[in-house]
Amino acid sequence: MLSSLYENRHSVRRFKSEDVPENDLERIIMAAGTAPSGKNIQNWHFVAIKNRALIQSIGTVIRERSEAIAVGLDALDAKKANVFRKFVQGYTLFALEAPVLIVVYTTYYYPSGYHELKLINADAEVLEHLLLKRSPGMQNLGAALENFSLAAVELGYGSCWLTSANYAASEIEALLLSEIGFEKEGYFMGAMMALGVPDGVQKSPKKKSLEEIYTLIR
């Protein structure tokens, strides 16, 4: 039987207006930082934002980028354009109402064999598959964000892990640089996390059965 900690982790999209004290936020980030990573690279950095004006500015950037995409779709398929607009409203912009919005930065992780293969002039497609398709750097980040999510549950909070706004990542990075002077050399935005006290009953969609996700070789 799984621990209730795992069972109680949901993607929370409605939050109460209660603040998240800085000591709780630090405990959650510290838990994220204990995650395993290839060669202990720890390729993550968390920018936690409580400033409402800055969060709304991030929302403006996302809306503008989203609408530019939707306008491009309008000429091809108006129905798909409107589905995209509704998706953005329901599954991205809700994060602007969270007490804390966390912009998560990451960087590439070059796994064992990558530089060696490059030295022996391996095919570019082989190198790309090793770095991008296997995406070991993102595997590292995923471990950290799962730790983040579980630590939030343990302290009575809820979170939602978002990559849906990544199409506006360059614009968000530029905004944070211009507004607060933040940049981290070699890093780029990989995800966002919404964090706060859940509002209402939380539930998750049905998960795959054990038979669908598990193969045992004896």
Side-chain angles (χ1 to χ4, degrees), residues 33 95 186 198 201:
V201 177

Side-chain angles (χ1 to χ4, degrees), residues 27-143:
R27 289 173 67 185
I28 293 169
I29 299 299
M30 286 178 66
T34 67
S37 60
K39 298 179 183 175
N40 197 33
I41 189 176
Q42 302 178 60
N43 58 313
W44 43 67
H45 189 91
F46 302 87
V47 181
I49 304 169
K50 288 188 173 186
N51 183 287
R52 302 314 303 174
L54 182 55
I55 290 174
Q56 293 309 313
S57 293
I58 290 173
T60 297
V61 164
I62 294 172
R63 288 186 182 94
E64 289 175 352
R65 183 68 181 122
S66 300
E67 186 57 23
I69 294 170
V71 168
L73 282 172
D74 278 330
L76 301 173
D77 190 323
K79 184 176 180 180
K80 286 185 179 180
N82 288 330
V83 167
F84 178 71
R85 288 185 174 101
K86 289 179 180 178
F87 174 84
V88 171
Q89 186 64 41
Y91 291 94
T92 301
L93 296 179
F94 76 89
L96 306 177
E97 304 305 318
V100 185
L101 180 65
I102 297 169
V103 181
V104 186
Y105 281 71
T106 188
T107 189
Y108 291 115
Y109 162 54
Y110 294 89
S112 298
Y114 179 87
H115 294 295
E116 291 79 5
L117 284 165
K118 194 170 184 179
L119 282 172
I120 63 173
N121 298 316
D123 185 90
E125 186 175 350
V126 172
L127 294 172
E128 183 179 354
H129 277 215
L130 185 62
L131 179 62
L132 300 179
K133 187 174 181 180
R134 316 298 173 192
S135 197
M138 288 301 179
Q139 290 183 48
N140 297 344
L141 185 63

Side-chain angles (χ1 to χ4, degrees), residues 142-164:
L145 295 183
E146 180 68 0
N147 276 17
F148 181 109
S149 300
L150 296 177
V153 172
E154 189 171 41
L155 293 176
Y157 300 105
S159 65
C160 190
W161 176 348
L162 301 98
T163 58
S164 56

Side-chain angles (χ1 to χ4, degrees), residues 4 12 25 33 49 56 64 66 86 103-104 136 143 154 174 176 187 191-192 194-195 200 209 211:
S4 60
V12 177
L25 185 53
I49 304 169
Q56 293 309 313
E64 289 175 352
S66 300
K86 289 179 180 178
V103 181
V104 186
E154 189 171 41
L176 294 183
Y187 279 65
M192 297 197 305
L195 177 69
S209 68
E211 290 74 19

